[in-house]
Amino acid sequence: MNTPPDGLPIYRVLTGPDDATFCQRVSEMIGLGYELHEGPAVTFNGERVIVAQALIWPTRVR
């Protein structure tokens, strides 16, 4: 597949609390075919850890 399904963009950044729900969202994108772009960004908002993970749709030269 040359493009992401369902009209999704080729570049995505997911953000949220560092919990099972966030991990599931990232896992779902990987399952669709996205690849991680570098490592996550992590911060603390005074109450909990917040993460951001960029994902890209792989482009392959044929």
Side-chain angles (χ1 to χ4, degrees):
M1 185 180 303
N2 293 330
T3 59
D6 302 325
L8 293 169
I10 60 171
Y11 176 81
R12 303 202 58 184
V13 176
L14 301 180
T15 61
D18 186 17
D19 59 14
T21 300
F22 178 81
C23 293
Q24 183 62 38
R25 291 172 54 211
V26 173
S27 295
E28 287 172 1
M29 292 298 103
I30 292 170
L32 287 175
Y34 281 88
E35 296 177 352
L36 298 177
H37 180 68
E38 304 292 335
V42 181
T43 191
F44 182 68
N45 72 357
E47 295 180 18
R48 59 179 135 171
V49 175
I50 305 296
V51 291
Q53 177 63 62
L55 299 113
I56 56 171
W57 189 257
T59 56
R60 293 181 173 83
V61 178
R62 296 179 186 210

